[in-house]
Structures are given as C-alpha cells and as structure tokens.
Amino acid sequence: VFMHLAMTPVCFSTESDRRTVFIALTVISLVGTVLFFLIRKQEDTKAPGEADSANDILGESSSAQTKMSRAVAAFKKSIKLSFTKEIMLLSVTTAYTGLELTFFSGVYGTCIGAVNRFGGEEKSLIGLSGIFIGVGEILGGGIFGLLSKNNRFGRNPIVMLGITVHFIAFYLIFFNMPNNAPIAPMEGTDDVAYMIPSKEVAIFCSFLLGLGDSCFNTQLLSILGFLYSEDSAPAFAIFKFVQSICAAVAYFYSNYFLLQWQLLIMVIVGFFGTITFFAVEWKAAAALAARGSDYSSI
C-alpha cells in the first residue's frame, strides 16, 4: 500500500500540504515496517526427535556456510543467469516496463499539471489521473490474473493487447498534450498540440496506461515463474534490477527530452520488447509441446 501511495502523482501547492503528506507517508511506512517484524514464523509441527535432528542439521549447515558466502553465491548465480538467452530477451521487455513505469508514475502527471488550457483544474487532474491509472492496473491485474489459470492461447495475446493499448494511449497523448509539457516551467505552458487539450482524453489515457502496464507485468511474472519455477529468486531479482535501472534512466532524460522523443523511445523499446517476449513464449510453448503437455498448463 505504501509503495502505491508513494508512486501516485499528486501536486501540492502549499508547504502545509507537502508536510502533511510527508508525515502521513512516514507514519504509514513505520507502521508497515513494525507489522512486518510482527509476522510470526511458521510453527514447527515435527516430533521432538525430528526437531532435534533438524536443528542439528541446520546448525552444521550454518557453521559450514556463512550467510556472506551464501549471499555471494546467490549473486554469482544471478550474474550467470543474466547472460542466458531467455533472460537477455526478456530484459528488453523488462526495460520497457521500467520506461513506461516512469512515464505514467511521474512524467504524465507533470504533463497534465503543466497544461494551462485545462483551466484551474489542471492540478486536481493529476490526482484524478493517478486514480484512473490505479483503476486500470487493478482491472487488468484481476482479469488477466484469473485468465492466466485457464488460458489455452498462452501469454502472447495479453502482451499484444498491452502494447496495443499503450500505443493507442501514446498516440492520444501525442495529439492531446503540448510537446513541451514535460519540461515546462512552474507557470505551465499555453501551447497546444494537434488538438485542443481535452480533460476526458487525458484521463482516458491514464486508464489505458495502467491497463497496458498490468498486461506486461502479469505476463512477465508468469513466464518467469514458469521458466524458473525451481529457482525463481535470481530471475525475479534480475527483473527488478533491469526495471529499476531503466526507470532511473527514464527519470533522468525526462527532464530534458520533449514529449515526442519520450514517446518515441517507449514505442521503439516497447515494439522490440514485445517481439522478444513472443520469442521466449514460443520457445516455452514448443518445449511444453515436446513433453506432451497441454499449453493451457503454461
């Protein structure tokens, strides 16, 4: 909950509002941390003799291999896994999720708030945009999460839907938002793109951004869990690492690039990321068919 609250793009006009939100997020993060430490460990249901022998084995194991050595071994394993063909192909898709994460969580809200043509409501539209992004995320995550359990067509149609939805959103944003909106001064911009800025189109694009993001994230997590079901921790660590690095890069160039160039970067990376995802999915489907398994079990 704290992560989603912190990522929601909201603009505050006074120092008092900023202080209130800062205090609220700090309290929520502290409460969440305390509750995390209060999670009880799973109770041991083994017989006393079994428990003693298990403790002896754990004691010998921990003495033979320190926590530092296990951490180094896990790091080396992640590095080795990152150079495999499947991970390198999926890294392009993951990179796209990092770029568009930055766009819908920070850049797009800035663009909305900078458009003076929205009248006195441009600041309040930032919060409304964040709400509709969340609606798209929740709707897409719920639907595609349920469909993935009984989906005979695999993951490719959902990823194709996600990139299509995003391309539609980028097209509408390009026509609706001024090109200098991401780098506009504090006073905003009076420029007009290829149409008079529409509040309805801006909010609709927020929903599309959230919906498309849910398509990519649900299917990426699904295919990683399928390919690396026996040892998924390194694969998911690489996923978060690549996504975070690309999100940071996008935050850096978002302060300098016009809107059209930021959209173009996402279109190019998104296109190739979709192709690489298809390649990995087809290979996984072929391997599954070779074992005589039903594709719906993927």
Side-chain angles (χ1 to χ4, degrees):
V1 173
F2 170 73
M3 179 183 68
H4 287 287
L5 287 174
M7 288 175 56
T8 302
V10 183
C11 182
F12 303 99
S13 58
T14 65
E15 182 67 24
S16 177
D17 293 338
R18 289 190 289 270
R19 187 182 301 110
T20 301
V21 173
F22 175 79
I23 293 174
L25 292 177
T26 302
V27 172
I28 293 173
S29 64
L30 291 176
V31 172
T33 303
V34 172
L35 293 177
F36 179 81
F37 283 111
L38 292 179
I39 296 177
R40 298 179 60 183
K41 296 182 179 180
Q42 185 176 1
E43 295 182 359
D44 192 0
T45 58
K46 295 182 178 180
E50 295 177 349
D52 293 338
S53 61
N55 289 333
D56 293 338
I57 295 174
L58 291 175
E60 294 175 0
S61 175
S62 60
S63 61
Q65 187 178 23
T66 62
K67 294 182 179 180
M68 181 61 69
S69 63
R70 290 196 297 268
V72 172
F75 178 75
K76 291 181 178 179
K77 190 172 186 178
S78 298
I79 295 296
K80 183 178 180 180
L81 186 64
S82 65
F83 289 99
T84 60
K85 182 179 179 181
E86 290 78 11
I87 289 295
M88 293 183 70
L89 289 174
L90 289 176
S91 293
V92 183
T93 315
T94 304
Y96 172 68
T97 63
L99 297 180
E100 53 98 7
L101 171 65
T102 291
F103 184 78
F104 75 73
S105 65
V107 177
Y108 189 57
T110 302
C111 293
I112 293 177
V115 179
N116 294 333
R117 295 267 180 170
F118 286 148
E121 300 179 359
E122 72 271 12
K123 304 304 180 184
S124 61
L125 286 176
I126 301 176
L128 192 60
S129 171
I131 292 174
F132 274 85
I133 290 173
V135 170
E137 293 274 8
I138 295 171
L139 181 63
I143 294 176
F144 303 130
L146 294 175
L147 286 179
S148 62
K149 297 180 179 179
N150 299 296
N151 184 13
R152 58 178 300 185
F153 301 106
R155 306 177 185 88
N156 284 349
I158 299 178
V159 172
M160 176 60 73
L161 174 63
I163 197 64
T164 302
V165 167
H166 270 177
F167 280 1
I168 293 174
F170 297 157
Y171 179 82
L172 294 176
I173 292 171
F174 177 72
F175 271 79
N176 192 44
M177 292 291 173
N179 205 25
N180 64 340
I183 56 176
M186 291 294 295
E187 296 78 16
T189 177
D190 295 317
D191 294 352
V192 177
Y194 296 93
M195 59 179 286
I196 301 300
S198 170
K199 304 173 187 177
E200 292 77 13
V201 173
I203 299 302
F204 178 64
C205 289
S206 300
F207 172 78
L208 293 181
L209 291 173
L211 181 63
D213 180 70
S214 67
C215 294
F216 276 94
N217 279 288
T218 55
Q219 303 315 301
L220 270 173
L221 295 177
S222 175
I223 197 171
L224 286 174
F226 172 77
L227 294 175
Y228 306 97
S229 57
E230 297 181 356
D231 193 12
S232 59
F236 283 102
I238 296 171
F239 166 75
K240 294 304 296 183
F241 175 77
V242 174
Q243 187 181 63
S244 300
I245 289 295
C246 292
V249 171
Y251 266 114
F252 174 78
Y253 70 63
S254 65
N255 294 321
Y256 304 98
F257 288 1
L258 296 175
L259 181 61
Q260 61 179 2
W261 302 120
Q262 298 190 39
L263 294 175
L264 180 61
I265 291 173
M266 288 189 293
V267 167
I268 295 174
V269 179
F271 173 78
F272 286 105
T274 303
I275 298 299
T276 56
F277 185 94
F278 285 176
V280 176
E281 174 73 352
W282 287 330
K283 183 177 180 180
L288 200 66
R291 297 200 301 263
S293 301
D294 185 12
Y295 191 73
S296 61
S297 64
I298 197 168

